[in-house]
Amino acid sequence: MASGQARLDAILGGGLINPSVALIAGLPGSGKTVLAQQYAFANGTERLPAIYLSTVAEPLSKILYFGEALSFFDPGRVGREVLFEDLSGELDDDGLTGILHRITARVERQPCSLLVIDSFRALRYRGVGERDFEGFVHQLAGHLAATGTMALWLGEYRRDELEGCPEFAVADAAVLLATEDSGQRDNRALRVLKLRGSGFRSGAHAYRIESAGVRVFPRLSDVDAGSYELGERRATSGISALDELVGDGYWPGSATLVIGPSGSGKTVMGLQFIYGGAKLGEPGVYASMQENRVQLERMIGGFGWDVRERAAVLRCDSPNDIYIDQWYYDLLETIRATGAHRLVIDSLGDLAAACPDEKRFREFVYALLNHCSRAGISVLLTYESAELYGHTRLSERGVSHLSDNVILLQYLRNETHVGRALTVLKTRASRHVPQPHEFDITHDGINIKAPLKIV
């Protein structure tokens, strides 16, 4: 059964098995009701409507009131394709026996595409003994299975509470929505705890609750390791002298890491890479977390490049506001929409700040570079170092080994002024000489001079 969102269906191995009983667990405010309504509106039809049954956790009027704020919630379909009903009366009058009779009679009278019970856990808080509730769960699950009814049971459970719950044992699938503390921000994470008869994606997957509903961003992991082909035409760096130093430009699909202190020329080098490609008809995306759009456009205009160049797309995001998984998928959509062959991320350190877990960040960078490599997209990453003059180490994030090319920028101490030097430390499948070259930043961009003597 489709959820109405392709990424969630991909996490579920294609979607929930239909028919089955699926448990959606999570504390209040985690998005259970929103997700269940997405399923209801994605699957309800006049012939097989989706039936949404509320219990005592939240009044039906409140569910409908807040539901109307969601873009997928179509009031014209309510009462025809999506039916909302309240079970609290039966629960007050006849307890679980009345609830069981109401539900079984309902699905026998009118087959449905989906039956939602919100909240299922609330049914146990009416003076019901544990054995009585367990018997109710098994009887209801058996009747739903006999009638081929697809069901979503929503409940306010923590992960550690689920193991002893009869509803978790009976459910064919269980999805947990949770909020995880990450420093000064909270990150929402979706986990599939079980899914019988399907190969689902394990681990924590980021999600957001938006006006369009629950939007999921599958966890980045290893990409298919099968063979793939890349072209032989190299991508110019936009700096002719640098092309010579790295062996006639960058290989398509390669990753270049530019490391240097603040003001050393990393952003300029990234912009020359994008606008150098734009001149050749190769679209590129410049993703900045260092500059806001006004500052970046001022810099671009100062070097004589056209900020309206359609082949050079600018993305400016604040590192304080981004969620790394969402940022990645939004970036991929931008790349697909523009047909980009080049990508600059400025800077890697700001991106890492949005992902405090270093192991997960390295997996993220690996997946990003692997995706771009397979798509033939040449990537340039910048990373700000703390050392101004001599460098005793490269990136602290452990990503330099993932890069095909590593370029080091640093300052030089001269008697009258502070100079700049560039060194190509590493290239894969190319010959290079790791000798520092002095360079200037002029109105045309980076101008590389003669090599420096190493003392």
Side-chain angles (χ1 to χ4, degrees):
M1 185 179 69
S3 65
Q5 187 187 144
R7 290 176 189 155
L8 176 56
D9 294 338
I11 291 173
L12 296 170
L16 294 172
I17 302 299
N18 187 6
S20 66
V21 172
L23 182 66
I24 300 179
L27 296 180
S30 58
K32 303 181 299 297
T33 297
V34 175
L35 181 58
Q37 290 184 7
Q38 278 182 258
Y39 270 103
F41 279 92
N43 293 278
T45 64
E46 287 198 43
R47 189 176 68 85
L48 290 174
I51 301 176
Y52 199 106
L53 303 177
S54 64
T55 58
V56 295
E58 195 167 22
L60 178 58
S61 60
K62 208 170 183 181
I63 292 176
L64 292 170
Y65 176 77
F66 288 106
E68 290 182 348
L70 301 167
S71 61
F72 62 79
F73 193 102
D74 184 357
R77 298 175 61 195
V78 175
R80 295 187 301 108
E81 299 175 11
V82 181
L83 312 179
F84 289 89
E85 300 178 16
D86 193 343
L87 292 180
S88 58
E90 281 79 359
L91 190 60
D92 290 333
D93 296 338
D94 302 313
L96 292 181
T97 302
I99 291 290
L100 181 63
H101 175 74
R102 168 77 179 273
I103 295 175
T104 55
R106 187 71 176 83
V107 296
E108 286 176 358
R109 184 172 73 252
Q110 181 178 33
C112 58
S113 59
L114 173 66
L115 178 74
V116 179
I117 302 178
D118 182 8
S119 147
F120 196 89
R121 180 169 185 169
L123 298 177
R124 66 166 62 212
Y125 294 123
R126 290 285 165 152
V128 178
E130 191 64 30
R131 282 195 173 186
D132 291 335
F133 183 73
E134 186 173 342
F136 163 77
V137 170
H138 284 278
Q139 288 183 68
L140 178 59
H143 188 85
L144 294 175
T147 56
T149 302
M150 177 70 209
L152 290 184
W153 295 353
L154 279 56
E156 298 75 28
Y157 309 89
R158 297 192 309 270
R159 185 173 184 175
D160 58 353
E161 295 177 305
L162 285 170
E163 291 183 3
C165 295
E167 52 267 51
F168 178 70
V170 165
D172 303 294
V175 176
L176 177 67
L177 304 178
T179 300
E180 300 178 348
D181 185 10
S182 178
Q184 295 184 340
R185 68 167 69 186
D186 291 330
N187 293 325
R188 295 182 184 272
L190 177 149
R191 293 177 184 270
V192 182
L193 303 182
K194 66 189 264 192
L195 184 54
R196 292 173 181 150
S198 179
F200 60 89
R201 296 189 189 181
S202 61
H205 308 277
Y207 74 94
R208 302 287 171 264
I209 302 176
E210 303 173 348
S211 61
V214 174
R215 187 178 176 206
V216 184
F217 310 97
R219 180 177 66 87
L220 300 179
S221 58
D222 192 8
V223 185
D224 179 20
S227 61
Y228 57 97
E229 296 182 2
L230 293 173
E232 295 295 324
R233 180 185 174 188
R234 300 221 184 188
T236 177
S237 65
I239 307 168
S240 57
L242 180 57
D243 288 345
E244 295 179 11
L245 294 179
V246 297
D248 200 25
Y250 306 132
W251 285 110
S254 65
T256 301
L257 179 63
V258 180
I259 303 173
S262 176
S264 59
K266 303 182 298 297
T267 297
V268 178
M269 185 173 289
L271 288 172
Q272 284 192 256
F273 178 58
I274 292 297
Y275 279 91
K279 288 182 180 179
L280 300 174
E282 298 177 8
V285 175
Y286 191 99
S288 174
M289 282 152 282
Q290 289 276 304
E291 316 280 349
N292 62 47
R293 181 170 289 275
V294 173
Q295 293 171 325
L296 193 60
E297 289 182 353
R298 183 185 298 128
M299 181 184 299
I300 291 169
F303 286 107
W305 300 315
D306 187 358
V307 296
R308 297 169 297 178
E309 171 62 64
R310 298 183 64 181
V313 177
L314 306 179
R315 282 183 55 99
C316 298
D317 300 286
S318 167
N320 297 325
D321 297 330
I322 68 169
Y323 293 89
I324 193 167
D325 301 275
Q326 180 177 4
W327 180 88
Y328 171 81
Y329 283 99
D330 289 346
L331 177 65
L332 286 190
E333 289 177 4
T334 302
I335 290 172
R336 292 191 190 103
T338 58
H341 295 281
R342 298 172 179 234
L343 170 65
V344 172
I345 297 177
D346 184 17
S347 78
L348 205 57
D350 291 313
L351 197 58
C355 184
D357 186 338
E358 287 199 14
K359 181 179 179 182
R360 183 163 173 262
F361 179 70
R362 291 175 187 175
E363 291 177 349
F364 168 86
V365 175
Y366 176 79
L368 171 64
L369 296 183
N370 202 354
H371 174 88
C372 290
S373 179
R374 293 176 174 281
I377 300 169
S378 300
V379 182
L380 188 147
L381 310 165
T382 71
Y383 185 81
E384 184 169 318
S385 63
E387 299 169 283
L388 296 178
Y389 298 101
H391 285 73
T392 58
R393 57 186 174 180
L394 297 179
S395 166
E396 297 177 353
R397 300 293 175 176
V399 297
S400 56
H401 69 285
L402 299 176
S403 304
D404 302 291
N405 313 300
V406 177
I407 299 172
L408 176 65
L409 306 181
Q410 60 192 107
Y411 288 109
L412 297 173
R413 285 191 179 96
N414 293 325
E415 294 181 359
T416 59
H417 70 285
V418 175
R420 294 182 176 92
L422 175 153
T423 307
V424 178
L425 296 181
K426 167 186 173 182
T427 62
R428 284 200 181 115
S430 296
R431 300 180 63 180
H432 76 285
V433 178
Q435 183 176 8
H437 288 67
E438 189 172 4
F439 72 92
D440 290 331
I441 299 178
T442 70
H443 65 278
D444 293 321
I446 289 177
N447 177 37
I448 299 178
K449 300 180 179 180
L452 296 170
K453 293 183 180 180
I454 300 177
V455 180

